[in-house]
Amino acid sequence: MQRMHSITDQEAGPSVEPIFAMIKKKFGRVVNMFRYMANSPIAVQAFSSLSECCEKSSLGAGLRHKISLLVSQENNCTYCIAAHSQI
């Protein structure tokens, strides 16, 4: 079974570098999910754009994180549950 590679800062191409910079500014580091997603620059750009749109919605940050936590629990995604619980 082939495994995905985690993209380092040095490996990030010009289309991914600004996204990594934004994530670092927001979280203090590049979260692993984004490093793996960066194997497809289009995927990491799309997810980043979706996240930005959600942040501009009328829902407050607390409610958005509660919804994300609930969805993570429903999907039984322990990685996401841990991430959203920490936030």
Side-chain angles (χ1 to χ4, degrees):
M1 181 169 128
Q2 187 176 10
R3 301 213 182 256
M4 292 183 72
H5 172 69
S6 175
I7 303 298
T8 65
D9 292 345
Q10 295 75 24
E11 296 171 322
S15 60
V16 176
E17 287 174 348
I19 295 169
F20 275 14
M22 178 200 61
I23 295 165
K24 282 180 189 175
K25 184 177 178 183
K26 188 172 183 178
F27 296 106
R29 65 183 178 89
V30 178
V31 183
N32 286 335
M33 179 182 77
F34 288 99
R35 290 198 180 279
Y36 284 100
M37 203 180 295
N39 280 283
S40 170
I42 292 172
V44 76
Q45 288 171 353
F47 190 84
S48 177
S49 294
L50 175 63
S51 296
E52 287 178 27
C53 288
C54 289
E55 289 175 6
K56 294 176 185 175
S57 74
S58 60
L59 299 176
L63 182 56
R64 286 195 318 271
H65 289 299
K66 287 177 185 176
I67 292 169
S68 296
L69 182 58
L70 178 62
V71 171
S72 300
Q73 290 171 334
E74 286 295 315
N75 289 334
N76 199 28
C77 179
T78 54
Y79 178 88
C80 296
I81 292 170
H84 290 292
S85 295
Q86 184 180 16
I87 294 171

